[in-house]
Amino acid sequence: MEVKYQKSVGLTDTPLTYCPGCGHGIVHKLVAESLVELGLLDKAIAIASVGCSVFSYQFFNCDAQQAPHGRACAEATGIKRVLPNNIVFTYQGDGDLASIGIAETIHAANRGENITVIFINNAIYGMTGGQMAPTSLIGQKTTTSQDGRVQALHGSPIHISEMFATIEGVAYMERVSVYDPKHVIQAKKAIKKAFQYQEEKRGFTMVEVVSSCPVNWGMKPTDAMNWVKTNMIEEFPLGIFKDKGDQNA
Amino acid sequence: MAKILMKGNEAIALAAIKGGVDAFYGYPITPQNEVPEYLSKHLIANGKVFLQAESEVSAINMVYGAAGAGARVMTSSSSPGIALKQEGISYIAAAELPCVIVSVMRGGPGLGGIQPSQADYYQATRGGGNGDYQLICYAPESIQETIDTMKGAFDTADFYRNPVLVLVDGLIGQMMESVDFDRPVKQRILLEKSWATNGTKNHPGSRNIANSLHLDPVKLEEHNIHLQKKYKLIKQNETQVEMIHMDDPDYVIVAYGTMARICRSAISMLNEKGIKVGMIRPITIWPFPEQAFDQIPSTCKGILCCELSMGQMLDDVLIANNGRHKVGFFGRSGGMVPDPEEIVDAIVNFKDKVVK
Ligand SMILES: Cc1ncc(C[n+]2csc(CCOP(=O)(O)OP(=O)(O)O)c2C)c(N)n1
Ligand code: SF4
């Protein structure tokens, strides 16, 4: 029988721990497929962060390190500087990257560290049970903003892609989403390009994925994907914010 | 190489190079700045890695990454900076990765001051990071001893897959002494780092993972028991102490680092007065040389613990003494360094110094 579809060899056989309808599972698959298709898997080192994806070191079928909360880009820097010919990537949530780890991420980008960051923006702290994230939308109810996020109290959702596009060391910055098949295909293109650029030693690459957390948003998986499409994309428009490859071409 | 005159911090840096350091990650703080300054010049010139991080938090996590990748890696800092590194140190110890951390102590607490101090004994031996972990902790008393320690530190860290902390104070960092870089270091048989996260193409058929997460309590307890076994082995094999004039002393001083040197002068002065004083000088403060206290004769009138702090090693002295002798304490803090005469007075008036 002809095999039409199978699990990527870039993923291990360990069952994923993600909830149904969660974007994490989709993005794992895209990262794994990209590494395999580019022939980079056997020299890749994944950095798992702290959040729902903390076990990603068990899922990506390559070497891995598990970083303290927010420190993934520092750890990746440490590795990449001593192993400049390997592929080093981090996989981080919005609490991990945009809150506690913002300094590590900005400075890694500013140094132009030749690493790839996969940034999952689901507008909430998933693992700890639905607290407000720096990317939570105005009005969004979370367990620590029970009347909704208020700009005067909590500030506005932070725009990582727009911000990082201003940093000289960034070679590639794209914001994608995974709420429907068309966007999943686009997300894969972006992730693949980011790894390709790393292989070509162009500098810091990041792909922000606007994703879902049906469980902590209190929605059915389909409603969550709809909420991404209708509410999140308005706040976090998709697109390429920086592409040094293009400028150089 | 003949003897050369060198500043302590620069000697630490050169000794690290002699010890085989591949990469340094750190953040500026007085009084250790000459360590990264020296390394920035000499590591990069030799194709090695030097990186000034954006913070101590970042620096120690860069160390974590590079250690996991199999490099010989170090950082150096001083009191408030070492405080920031504690989270990373706990992770590195938990993941059983080797690295060398240099701590050049200054006065505290808080921002404190920049003068020499030994107020980070707790920080070094008890740690501020979470969980049951230990660092192999050396507390040399001279630049020469610091060099000898640094040269062997990477081997020791690799041998046990454990962080090594070299603890000196600002005086050792800042002073100059005539030193020899060619003294032999302990030879250890080191295995290939088959566990390094350097890509599966370097170890086909298996994945290497640097990790400290064990959500299953059974697994986590097993991991802790495994760590304790290693720490026991380190206690057995790596405890170092110097015993000075320990034949029938009237009093015994316990001191390490710069304070031990001041006490050496005090002991000579006391001998001239006809008071026989010996010294237990811990060279490793973890593991602490508890057994040295068994050699104190029962006729000894008291043990004086001397520190550039308000009394931290004192806890270990009390534990090791185990109620056998009277224990007194003499300490200065905040960057104040005593003259030997003050120690002489403390021995002469020992009864006023007794704490237990
Ligand atoms: C130093 C530290 N502070 C807090 C935590 C608790 N914690 C675990 S996961 C998490 C938030 C993760 O949220 P996010 O990065 O958005 O990832 P998600 O779970 O949504 O994928 C926090 C605060 C921790 N593990 N370590
Ligand atoms: S809690 Fe949210 S982010 Fe975490 S796995 Fe479940 S759906 Fe995904």
Side-chain angles (χ1 to χ4, degrees), chain A residues 57 63 65-66 78 86 111, chain B residues 54 64 198 203 207-208 210:
Chain A
Y57 66 85
D63 279 358
Q65 296 197 14
Q66 198 293 314
N86 282 66
R111 289 188 301 264
Chain B
E54 60 272 20
Y64 179 8
N198 51 8
H203 44 88
R207 293 167 57 235
N208 286 343

Side-chain angles (χ1 to χ4, degrees), chain A residues 45-60:
Chain A
I45 300 147
I47 315 293
S49 62
V50 172
C52 283
S53 61
V54 68
F55 284 120
S56 63
Y57 66 85
Q58 294 182 352
F59 305 145
F60 294 121

Side-chain angles (χ1 to χ4, degrees), chain B residues 20-340:
Chain B
V21 67
D22 295 317
F24 176 96
Y25 304 97
Y27 187 79
I29 184 168
T30 307
Q32 62 79 58
N33 287 321
E34 296 84 357
V35 178
E37 284 165 2
Y38 187 96
L39 287 171
S40 71
K41 185 166 167 211
H42 295 277
L43 283 184
I44 293 171
N46 288 299
K48 308 268 180 176
V49 173
F50 172 90
L51 184 60
Q52 181 171 318
E54 60 272 20
S55 69
E56 288 88 351
V57 176
S58 227
I60 193 68
N61 284 287
M62 291 173 182
V63 169
Y64 179 8
R72 291 196 139 188
V73 57
M74 71 175 284
T75 186
S76 75
S77 190
S78 177
S79 313
I82 297 288
L84 276 180
K85 290 186 196 287
Q86 296 297 337
E87 177 199 45
I89 292 172
S90 165
Y91 275 69
I92 295 169
E96 291 195 86
L97 298 177
C99 69
V100 176
I101 302 154
V102 174
S103 169
V104 186
M105 291 180 282
R106 56 188 247 179
L111 198 50
I114 58 169
Q115 299 302 320
S117 161
Q118 294 179 327
D120 299 330
Y121 183 93
Y122 284 154
Q123 192 188 50
T125 60
R126 271 61 170 173
N130 55 303
D132 290 311
Y133 71 93
Q134 291 293 346
L135 310 178
I136 304 169
C137 189
Y138 295 94
E141 68 164 347
S142 64
I143 300 180
Q144 183 64 59
E145 196 175 38
T146 307
I147 290 168
D148 298 344
T149 305
M150 278 304 296
K151 276 171 61 186
F154 294 93
D155 282 358
T156 308
D158 282 350
F159 188 80
Y160 290 104
R161 289 185 60 183
N162 204 72
V164 167
L165 185 89
V166 179
L167 185 73
V168 297
D169 57 68
L171 202 70
I172 293 178
Q174 294 300 323
M175 71 185 177
M176 291 184 91
E177 278 183 337
S178 172
V179 289
D180 178 357
F181 279 87
D182 290 337
R183 291 175 26 143
V185 294
K186 179 170 176 174
Q187 296 295 310
R188 296 184 191 268
I189 296 162
L190 298 174
L191 303 175
E192 278 280 301
K193 295 185 176 178
S194 57
W195 44 262
T197 63
N198 51 8
T200 53
K201 68 172 181 182
N202 289 305
H203 44 88
S206 71
R207 293 167 57 235
N208 286 343
I209 293 167
N211 174 47
S212 66
L213 178 68
H214 306 272
L215 275 189
D216 176 355
V218 174
K219 292 257 165 61
L220 184 52
E221 188 177 52
E222 273 169 19
H223 179 54
N224 270 301
I225 290 168
H226 161 74
L227 288 177
Q228 290 302 318
K229 277 194 189 136
K230 178 168 84 173
Y231 299 152
K232 198 172 160 196
L233 199 68
I234 294 170
K235 273 190 189 174
Q236 278 165 9
N237 296 338
E238 304 303 329
T239 306
Q240 284 183 42
V241 61
E242 186 184 346
M243 308 290 275
I244 302 157
H245 303 314
M246 285 298 284
D247 41 312
D248 198 27
D250 298 324
Y251 294 94
V252 169
I253 285 175
V254 187
Y256 70 96
T258 286
M259 194 53 148
R261 291 187 73 177
I262 299 167
C263 290
R264 282 179 191 273
S265 309
I267 288 170
S268 305
M269 292 160 76
L270 284 157
N271 278 344
E272 279 167 29
K273 283 183 190 282
I275 306 173
K276 286 190 289 179
V277 180
M279 178 155 70
I280 293 176
R281 180 175 77 86
I283 299 171
T284 52
I285 53 171
W286 196 91
F288 188 75
E290 282 183 24
Q291 280 161 8
F293 289 71
D294 298 344
Q295 293 180 36
I296 303 175
S298 56
T299 49
C300 172
K301 292 180 216 158
I303 299 171
L304 184 71
C305 175
C306 298
E307 300 178 59
L308 295 177
S309 83
M310 301 309 281
Q312 298 190 11
M313 180 173 67
L314 180 59
D315 289 1
D316 283 336
V317 171
L318 289 169
I319 293 168
N321 179 54
N322 198 17
R324 286 176 284 190
H325 304 276
K326 282 205 171 77
V327 174
F329 178 72
F330 172 85
R332 297 296 305 269
S333 89
M336 298 300 290
V337 179
D339 293 327

Side-chain angles (χ1 to χ4, degrees), chain B residues 304 327-330 345-355:
Chain B
L304 184 71
V327 174
F329 178 72
F330 172 85
D345 278 355
I347 288 283
V348 170
N349 301 306
F350 181 76
K351 62 178 184 337
D352 301 336
K353 298 291 173 192
V354 172
V355 291

Side-chain angles (χ1 to χ4, degrees), chain A residues 156-209:
Chain A
S156 305
I158 197 162
H159 291 96
I160 291 296
S161 289
E162 288 82 347
M163 194 167 141
F164 276 67
T166 66
I167 297 174
E168 181 52 37
V170 175
Y172 189 69
M173 180 75 246
E174 180 167 352
R175 186 187 283 127
V176 297
S177 188
V178 287
Y179 65 81
D180 67 11
K182 180 174 146 236
H183 286 89
V184 171
I185 291 167
Q186 181 53 38
K188 166 122 177 238
K189 266 194 202 152
I191 290 169
K192 218 168 154 175
K193 194 162 183 183
F195 282 125
Q196 180 71 45
Y197 277 22
Q198 183 182 160
E199 175 68 354
E200 293 163 6
K201 298 190 162 57
R202 289 176 188 259
F204 185 90
T205 50
M206 169 147 62
V207 179
E208 173 176 352
V209 184

Side-chain angles (χ1 to χ4, degrees), chain A residues 24 50-52 69 93-96 100 122 124-128, chain B residues 87:
Chain A
H24 275 307
V50 172
C52 283
H69 197 19
D94 43 53
D96 195 85
I100 193 168
N122 60 9
I124 206 152
Y125 282 32
M127 187 179 217
T128 39
Chain B
E87 177 199 45

